[in-house]
Amino acid sequence: MRRARTVGAVRGWLPPVLVGVLGLAAWQMLTTAARVPSFLLPAPSAIWTALRANAANVTQAAVATGANALVGLVAGTLLGVLAAVLAVRFRVLDGLLGPLAAAAAAVPIVALAPLLNSMYSTTTDMPRRLVATIVVFFPIYVSTVKGLRQVPAVHHDLMSAYAATGWQITRTVRLPAARPHLFTGLRIAAPAAVIAALIAEYFGGLQHGLGSRIISAAANTAYPRAWAYVVAAMVLGLIFLGGVLLLEQLTRRPRTIFRSIR
């Protein structure tokens, strides 16, 4: 059994790794043979050299952007789940929160970030965290609402027969049933939080994140260094996604839906 799982895991990650290696090799050969200028497309070797030479600065910038994205992800998730629970419990709030969530998703980051920067001090990360929170809120809200509403009627009726309160039904039946939908939203929201935090840095404020470092390096024609920060942003997004997948695996254990009502 263990060997079968190992073989399955290898078959799962081996194809994308091979595609990635072949893609990098083709990229290196193309930029070297065609002598592509670095301002168009630096070679992977040049990007790697810049990444090693600026490892400390890249790490520091990634930590700053990652902190803003993490705060936005946590805040957006909590607000999205809370809004979904209230929307399912109260129809009046459902009619109000649905359009509000859609409006939050329709607001472009490039329009929202400058406004938030003007509302808050340029020495704080609050605008970037608010942008990430707004971006995360919509997929979490939509996914959780869908999960909360897909509870079988027999489960709801049984809990009602036990004289369970609305909150007890939500806690013991609806929320556990909505877990797969919640993690579906998280798989979308986690990388989106990194993207939102990074793009928000393009519009002023503190100059210590990946987005501001990319702009600074490109302005100084240090294109391999700019791409090094881009690579760091990609890795950061993958770390966030991997964290969500790991959390999903840790919470995937046998559970009893109907507990004793305290």
Side-chain angles (χ1 to χ4, degrees), residues 138-192:
F138 179 73
I140 297 298
Y141 172 81
V142 172
S143 300
T144 307
V145 164
K146 183 178 180 181
L148 292 173
R149 287 176 175 166
Q150 289 189 352
V151 175
V154 63
H155 294 175
H156 185 278
D157 294 342
L158 181 57
M159 295 298 292
S160 298
Y162 289 157
T165 63
W167 166 243
Q168 288 173 327
I169 294 175
T170 299
R171 179 173 59 88
T172 59
V173 178
R174 293 189 182 277
L175 285 176
R179 186 190 66 84
H181 296 82
L182 172 60
F183 277 102
T184 298
L186 280 172
R187 286 196 293 267
I188 300 173

Side-chain angles (χ1 to χ4, degrees), residues 166-244:
W167 166 243
Q168 288 173 327
I169 294 175
T170 299
R171 179 173 59 88
T172 59
V173 178
R174 293 189 182 277
L175 285 176
R179 186 190 66 84
H181 296 82
L182 172 60
F183 277 102
T184 298
L186 280 172
R187 286 196 293 267
I188 300 173
V194 176
I195 296 173
L198 187 145
I199 293 178
E201 296 172 359
Y202 290 168
F203 302 95
L206 295 174
Q207 302 296 305
H208 66 315
L210 291 172
S212 57
R213 298 293 177 86
I214 292 172
I215 293 178
S216 176
N220 292 321
T221 66
Y223 299 106
R225 189 169 77 232
W227 275 86
Y229 287 115
V230 172
V231 171
M234 295 170 57
V235 173
L236 185 62
L238 291 175
I239 291 174
F240 270 60
L241 179 58
V244 169

